[in-house]
Amino acid sequence: MASKIIRHSHLRALCSSINNHICSPHFSNTNQAPLSYRLFSNASSSSSSSSSSRKDKPTGGFQRTSSLKDLELAKFTSIAETWWDSEGPFKPLHVMNPTRLAFIRSTLCRHFSKDPNSARPFEGLKIVDVGCGGGILSEPLARMGATVTGVDAVEKNIKIARIHADLDPVTSTIEYCCTTAEKLVEEDRKFDAVITLEVIEHVANPAEFCKSLAALTVPDGATIISTINRSMRSYATAIVAAEYLLHWLPKGTHEWSSFLTPEELVLIHQRANITVREMAGFVYNTLTGRWSLSDDISVNFIAFGTKKLPIDKNIPL
């Protein structure tokens, strides 16, 4: 898949280093086993109760608090009406979407033994899109046959998503809810796959957020998370260049200190009972204006994990 490969020995060294020393505000306990995962370029060639109503779910009466930041909610509320403007503030996500979907199709088809060449490879799978925004990921997932639930804490996002989905009978089946992952956990919702893209860097507590995602995932189910690496290169490209020089994103969209390194994301998953199996980077070609999958995870990256099976069937995970 990718021509430039970071060797597994180097990745294992990166992952194992967090067991000795983690300079991050996200962690306090470093007593962990060594970590390892496959790069997408190598993994891609190897084998390896939901309501049917589309009405809003009630949002009150839950004990667990949301991990979302109020400032982030206000920020995305202000630009909610531009979700389906391919030249607007969300243009980078529209351009990246085909590449994100390529990773999702490949990993989920491999894990659930589905035909990646089928027009509807996700038939029979229940998928939740956490932080769905205006539905730019939920809709193609539905077209690929999945039973999709899209959730977002911004009410305007859900309204926009529902209006757009209703334009197509296939996507009109999507269940959109103005709620959070934490509240879905309180409702005891379960899904075959939990997907959250470009969301975790906007939450107040990434570790607790991942625990909620794990709780929503059935045993041996899948989770897919994409985010931005906390590196000097990401500061230069994702913030300075994208927000202030090229104006691809509104200024203040991201806080560099809220980014997670791949090693931190793997550890957060591990503590939430999720094993990261594959990881890939996204690289942008300025000549073609397109994104592609790569083993370069220094800026944008995406991770596929699976929830561990319970040791004792009487003890739910």
Side-chain angles (χ1 to χ4, degrees), residues 1-32:
M1 175 62 68
S3 58
K4 296 181 179 179
I5 300 175
I6 301 177
R7 298 301 174 187
H8 279 198
S9 59
H10 178 55
L11 278 174
R12 282 195 294 268
L14 285 175
C15 291
S16 297
S17 68
I18 67 174
N19 300 289
N20 300 319
H21 183 66
I22 298 178
C23 297
S24 167
H26 303 294
F27 306 103
S28 58
N29 177 15
T30 61
N31 185 22
Q32 298 289 333

Side-chain angles (χ1 to χ4, degrees), residues 285-296:
N285 188 318
T286 55
L287 296 179
T288 63
R290 296 181 179 179
W291 292 86
S292 61
L293 290 171
S294 167
D295 286 339
D296 181 359

Side-chain angles (χ1 to χ4, degrees), residues 99-244:
T99 309
R100 303 193 303 181
L101 286 165
F103 181 88
I104 293 169
R105 177 191 284 263
S106 177
T107 53
L108 292 188
C109 284
R110 187 180 308 114
H111 180 66
F112 292 107
S113 300
K114 300 287 188 177
D115 180 6
N117 298 315
S118 169
R120 294 173 63 83
F122 296 158
E123 200 84 57
L125 294 181
K126 292 168 56 178
I127 300 178
V128 62
D129 179 9
V130 178
C132 65
I136 65 173
L137 178 72
S138 295
E139 290 197 12
L141 291 176
R143 292 191 179 97
M144 285 191 278
T147 299
V148 179
T149 298
V151 301
D152 200 286
V154 178
E155 186 176 3
K156 287 179 67 176
N157 286 348
I158 292 299
K159 290 181 178 179
I160 294 296
R162 179 175 293 112
I163 290 172
H164 196 273
D166 284 340
L167 299 176
D168 185 338
V170 176
T171 57
S172 65
T173 61
I174 299 172
E175 176 194 7
Y176 281 117
C177 310
C178 182
T179 187
T180 64
E182 293 81 3
K183 291 176 180 178
L184 287 182
V185 172
E186 295 293 340
E187 294 177 353
D188 199 28
R189 300 289 296 272
K190 298 291 183 181
F191 301 90
D192 299 302
V194 177
I195 302 176
T196 181
L197 306 186
E198 281 72 54
V199 173
I200 195 169
E201 66 268 25
H202 299 289
V203 304
N205 191 325
E208 288 300 314
F209 180 66
C210 275
K211 288 180 181 178
S212 294
L213 301 182
L216 294 174
T217 310
V218 299
D220 200 37
T223 65
I224 297 179
I225 295 181
S226 67
T227 187
I228 303 174
N229 192 350
R230 193 178 67 256
S231 64
M232 292 310 299
R233 185 175 174 188
S234 72
Y235 183 82
T237 58
I239 295 181
V240 176
E243 296 183 17
Y244 292 89

